[in-house]
Amino acid sequence: MAYKISDECISCGACADGCPVGAISEGDGKYVIDAETCIDCGACASTCPVGAPEAE
C-alpha cells in the first residue's frame, strides 16, 4: 500500500530527498507520491518535519 502526502505538507522537499526510489515529486502546492513507484518503505514519513506522508 503506497503512502500519500496530506495537506499538512509545507513543500520543503525532505520527503523527496529521502525517497530511495524517486517516487516523490513537487506537485501543485505540495509534494505528491507516485503510488505505482512507491515501495511502502516509510522513508518519506521518517524524514518529514510535519508528518505529512501517511500510509493509505
Side-chain angles (χ1 to χ4, degrees), residues 21-34:
V21 295
I24 304 173
S25 60
E26 191 170 4
D28 188 23
K30 68 177 185 175
Y31 277 71
V32 293
I33 299 175
D34 178 7

Side-chain angles (χ1 to χ4, degrees), residues 26-53:
E26 191 170 4
D28 188 23
K30 68 177 185 175
Y31 277 71
V32 293
I33 299 175
D34 178 7
E36 292 190 19
T37 306
C38 179
I39 59 171
D40 196 31
C41 68
C44 56
S46 66
T47 62
C48 179
V50 296

Side-chain angles (χ1 to χ4, degrees), residues 3-10 12 14-15 44-55:
Y3 275 70
K4 181 178 180 182
I5 298 179
S6 72
D7 290 338
E8 299 298 317
C9 178
I10 58 172
C12 68
C15 59
C44 56
S46 66
T47 62
C48 179
V50 296
E54 304 169 333

